[in-house]
Amino acid sequence: MRVAVVGAGAIGAYVGAVLDRAGADVHLIARGPHLAAMRRHGVQVLSPRGDFTAHVHATDDPSAIGPVDYVFLGLKAHAYAACGPLVHPLLHADTAVVAAQNGIPWWYFHALKGPYEGRCVESVDPGGAVSRVLPPERAVGCVVYAATELEAPGVVRHLEGTRFSVGEPDSTVSARCLAFSEAMRAGGLKCPVEADLRNDIWIKLLGNIAFNPLSALSRATMAQICRHQDTRALVATMMRETLAVAEAVGCRPEISVERRLAGAERVGEHKTSTLQDLERGRPMELDVLLAAVVELAALTRTPVPKLCAIHAVTDLLAQTTYGSDAA
C-alpha cells in the first residue's frame, strides 16, 4: 500500500508514522523547518502509549512521489480548493482521498439518497471549486477523535485518542475502506469502518460548532465555557439546534446534549483549534463548522437563531481580523 500524506502537520505526520510502522510505503508532503527536521531525524512521536520514531520519506514535491493508493489529507478544509498541485501528481485511476476534516465535508450530499442528493454545500464547496479538485467519488470520509500537536519541527506529541472512523459517502463498506482500516489498526490505531459516517460527523460537530466559535469570541477554554452558567446554556441550545438540522437532512445521531457537554468539560483547560488559529494569526476554520450548518438550516427551513447569531459575530470577527475575504 502506497500512501501520501498531504499536509503532514500534527495529525498528518502522526498518521504517516503509524502507517509506516504498519509496513505501508508512506510519503509525507510538508514544508519549512518541519520538513527539514523530518528529513534529518524522521517523525518523532511522543505518546502515553509509547514513543517511537518513523523514518519516512518527506518532500515538498509530490511529483517526486508519483501515484499512490491513498492520499491522506491533513490540510485544513479551507485549503482544499487550492490543493490541486499537491494532490493531482499523486493520483491514479483508483486513488482514494481520505479527508480528515472537521465539520460538514464537501462530499456530504454525494450519493446520499433523498431530496438533496448531489447538492453542493456552498459554504464548503463554493461553486463546486473543491469538487473539481477532489472529485467526491474519490472521497473516503474520516472523523478524527485523536488529539495531537507539533511540539517542535518533526516532533509530534500525541495527547489522547486513537480513533479514526472512516466511511464511504454512499454508505457501503468498501474494500478500499477495509484495507485502509486494516493498515491503521496494524499500526496501533482504532479505525472502524462506519456504514453511515454521517452520524459520526454530526456527533463530533456538536462540540465543534459551539465551543470553537465561542472560544474565539471569549478567548476561554472549554472548561471555562462549561463552568459559566450562561455560556453553558448557550452551548446546549446551539447543540439542540444542530441536532434539529441533522434530523432535517435525514440524520439522527444518538447522543444526548448533556452527555456531550460533560465530555467537553472533562477535556479541561483546553484551547480549541479555532482559538489557537486566531491567536497565531491563521484563518479560523469556521465555514465547515458553523456556516455550513447555517446554510443547511436555511435549505431545510429549520430555525436556528442562536447559530445564526454566533455565525454573524464570528464572521465579523474574521473580516475585521483577516480582511473582507476571510471567513
Side-chain angles (χ1 to χ4, degrees):
M1 176 189 293
R2 299 194 82 223
V3 181
V5 177
V6 175
I11 283 290
Y14 178 60
V15 168
V18 165
L19 288 173
D20 175 78
R21 187 165 62 171
D25 178 15
V26 177
H27 306 265
L28 306 181
I29 298 174
R31 60 186 181 181
H34 181 49
L35 171 60
M38 291 191 295
R39 281 173 163 169
R40 286 196 304 269
H41 307 297
V43 180
Q44 300 176 65
V45 176
L46 309 178
S47 172
R49 307 173 73 234
D51 301 344
F52 68 97
T53 299
H55 296 280
V56 183
H57 175 232
T59 181
D60 57 2
D61 180 11
S63 64
I65 300 170
V68 297
D69 302 308
Y70 296 89
V71 172
F72 184 91
L73 280 185
L75 302 169
K76 291 292 182 76
H78 53 68
Y80 284 5
C83 75
L86 294 175
V87 172
H88 290 167
L90 305 170
L91 303 179
H92 58 59
D94 297 320
T95 301
V97 176
V98 182
Q101 71 160 94
N102 288 320
I104 302 297
W106 82 99
W107 53 261
Y108 189 86
F109 288 119
H110 174 66
L112 178 64
K113 300 301 181 186
Y116 307 116
E117 183 174 5
R119 187 181 182 92
C120 177
V121 183
E122 286 291 326
S123 300
V124 299
D125 190 11
V130 176
S131 291
R132 286 192 291 274
V133 174
L134 303 171
E137 57 269 19
R138 289 192 182 273
V140 168
C142 180
V143 179
V144 178
Y145 294 93
T148 60
E149 64 183 15
L150 276 183
E151 186 161 290
V155 181
V156 175
R157 181 166 292 280
H158 171 227
L159 302 171
E160 62 177 356
T162 59
R163 182 178 166 195
F164 292 73
S165 297
V166 297
E168 291 283 355
D170 66 1
S171 299
T172 60
V173 178
S174 66
R176 66 183 184 176
C177 280
L178 290 171
F180 185 79
S181 170
E182 183 179 351
M184 292 280 276
R185 289 187 289 110
L189 299 179
K190 298 176 182 176
C191 190
V193 178
E194 302 290 352
D196 191 355
L197 190 71
R198 291 175 180 85
N199 276 324
D200 285 62
I201 288 171
W202 285 103
I203 288 171
K204 186 170 184 188
L205 182 55
L206 271 191
N208 290 148
I209 201 171
F211 287 103
N212 286 53
L214 290 179
S215 67
L217 292 170
S218 66
R219 307 303 199 271
T221 66
M222 292 176 67
Q224 288 170 328
I225 293 170
C226 287
R227 289 195 299 264
H228 187 277
Q229 181 178 350
D230 290 340
T231 53
R232 187 184 185 94
L234 177 58
V235 168
T237 300
M238 293 173 72
M239 287 183 175
R240 285 192 289 269
E241 290 182 357
T242 302
L243 286 173
V245 177
E247 185 169 353
V249 294
C251 198
R252 293 172 178 81
E254 296 183 2
I255 184 74
S256 78
V257 168
E258 278 306 316
R259 181 180 173 187
R260 197 70 179 83
L261 267 167
E265 190 169 11
R266 284 195 298 271
V267 172
E269 305 302 333
H270 171 70
K271 292 183 178 182
T272 69
S273 59
T274 300
L275 176 54
Q276 292 179 48
D277 285 341
L278 180 65
E279 291 179 339
R280 295 167 183 168
R282 299 172 180 168
M284 295 181 292
E285 192 180 33
L286 289 178
D287 284 345
V288 295
L289 299 181
L290 181 55
V293 178
V294 170
E295 179 183 340
L296 296 185
L299 173 67
T300 57
R301 299 182 180 179
T302 305
V304 289
K306 290 295 191 291
L307 293 180
C308 286
I310 298 301
H311 171 53
V313 181
T314 52
D315 188 60
L316 178 59
L317 174 63
Q319 290 187 21
T320 56
T321 303
Y322 308 113
S324 60
D325 294 332

